């Protein structure tokens, strides 16, 4: 049975995640400061570090929630997509774009979180990302049945990165007032062209 | 004829650009602070704002030099590339990757420079970027002769963004200790697959 201390610790943890999540969504990762978090949570600054090793750990906990929401959006888009695997890729990539546009700062935090140099993200975090990659590799395996597992893995990463680049630079221009109605078009263009040679 | 004041102003301008360039290359855009710049240039903080409107203007001046160096590297790679337009795209994209890897913080500053919300980059800056895009659109026009100018423009942007995404996420992983020897491979995979359907 959980002790009173354990329960309180878990409550503070949940509270801090919710506060950090809102801070990141509204003002971005750079606005996350221990002193502000402590003030809003009604705890001492030291209590934060008692629950999370550092603010990066807290950010990873927020990012895990963002990955879950993103995954749910992509899954929903996939459920409504045509059976054609190319169209499935297009629909999911456009869902990725729309999620990024509607959750811009939270989405940026997924990639901007600072890790100590030479340190990879924790395993649970990488497996959360890996989950999203299977949405891409499944249709790719149907489109390119002759490719081996390793090449499919590389294709999956390359295609995800491509769509990410289109969305990232497109939304950057959006923040500078440039129209983004072409992002979906570019995504479809690249994915259809990429798969145009299949038998 | 330039007055003494004008000459001194130009000298301070050049000096500040060189100092800012080194600061960004070594410690990144976030390390650029007016007080440190002034101390190193041996001028008052106010003198900086007399020469540049703000630090964003100074950063754009540094970025213009980075674009020039990048352009020179891409042009050099292109000069040594095979005549085949697909291979030209591959060689240039890999040159982009190598420039980004060897000039990581300067390259990041090209995209991380902050603009006031709703404000586009100045025209001279956009034309500097546009210059680089013609390196991509020329071979694309050979590969896809049936596509119109507007669609070629969109394809060019989409392909640049795709390569950028692969390089960005690949180098992010590199900073976390993950191997990047696959970045060139992913670039070639995407570009060759993208153009595989051409007649």
């Amino acid at each position: 049975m959980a002790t009173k201390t354990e329960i309180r610790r878990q409550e503070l943890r949940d509270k801090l995640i919710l506060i950090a999540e809102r801070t990141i969504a509204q003002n971005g990762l750079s606005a996350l400061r221990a002193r502000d978090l402590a003030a809003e949570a009604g705890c001492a600054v030291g209590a934060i570090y008692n629950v999370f090793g550092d603010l990066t750990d807290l950010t990873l906990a927020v990012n895990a929630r963002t990955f879950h929401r993103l995954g749910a959006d992509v899954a929903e888009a996939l459920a409504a997509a045509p059976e054609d695997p190319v169209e499935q890729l297009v629909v999911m990539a456009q869902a990725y774009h729309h999620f990024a546009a509607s959750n811009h700062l939270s989405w940026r935090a997924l990639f901007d979180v600072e890790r100590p140099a030479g340190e990879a993200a924790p395993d649970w975090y990488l497996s959360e990302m890996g989950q999203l990659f299977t949405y891409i590799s499944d249709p790719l395996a149907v489109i390119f049945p002759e490719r081996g597992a390793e090449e499919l893995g590389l294709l999956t990463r390359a295609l995800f990165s491509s769509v990410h680049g289109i969305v990232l630079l497109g939304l950057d221009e959006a923040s500078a007032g440039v129209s983004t109605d072409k992002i979906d078009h570019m995504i479809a263009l690249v994915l259809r062209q990429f798969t145009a040679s299949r038998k």
Side-chain angles (χ1 to χ4, degrees), chain A:
Chain A
M1 219 184 87
T3 64
K4 236 177 176 173
T5 314
E6 280 164 359
I7 291 171
R8 238 185 257 134
R9 200 181 136 90
Q10 186 59 46
E11 283 174 354
L12 179 58
R13 194 188 143 83
D14 294 346
K15 200 176 188 180
L16 286 169
I17 291 175
L18 289 180
I19 296 171
E21 187 173 52
R22 200 181 52 233
T23 304
I24 291 173
Q26 289 174 354
N27 302 307
L29 187 52
S30 63
L32 205 64
R33 275 177 295 265
R35 210 172 359 163
D36 298 342
L37 284 168
E40 205 175 332
C43 70
V45 169
I48 296 177
Y49 298 109
N50 198 17
V51 178
F52 292 98
D54 53 30
L55 291 190
T56 298
D57 284 351
L58 173 55
T59 304
L60 292 180
V62 171
N63 283 355
R65 291 169 57 94
T66 308
F67 272 128
H68 267 299
R69 288 193 295 129
L70 169 60
D73 277 16
V74 169
E76 201 186 333
L78 182 60
E83 284 244 356
D84 179 68
V86 176
E87 290 315 301
Q88 289 180 339
L89 287 176
V90 171
V91 163
M92 287 191 291
Q94 291 175 342
Y96 181 74
H97 163 215
H98 301 150
F99 182 88
S102 326
N103 301 272
H104 194 215
L105 295 173
S106 305
W107 171 71
R108 287 300 296 249
L110 294 177
F111 301 93
D112 290 346
V113 59
E114 279 199 29
R115 289 179 298 252
E119 207 171 282
D123 283 345
W124 65 265
Y125 194 72
L126 294 176
S127 94
E128 196 81 53
M129 289 180 64
Q131 197 66 23
L132 281 175
F133 275 26
T134 62
Y135 285 120
I136 309 172
S137 58
D138 287 350
L140 273 183
V142 177
I143 298 169
F144 300 114
E146 76 286 3
R147 306 234 184 187
E150 201 191 340
E151 213 180 14
L152 269 182
L154 217 54
L155 269 182
T156 300
R157 256 182 69 185
L159 263 201
F160 170 75
S161 302
S162 298
V163 170
H164 179 74
I166 293 171
V167 171
L168 184 74
L169 296 186
L171 292 180
D172 261 5
E173 290 192 341
S175 73
V178 179
S179 157
T180 61
D181 55 0
K182 295 203 166 90
I183 296 179
D184 276 348
H185 190 167
M186 285 194 282
I187 288 173
L189 210 54
V190 163
L191 291 175
R192 296 213 176 99
Q193 188 59 43
F194 188 82
T195 52
S197 69
R198 72 172 164 143
K199 312 292 176 293

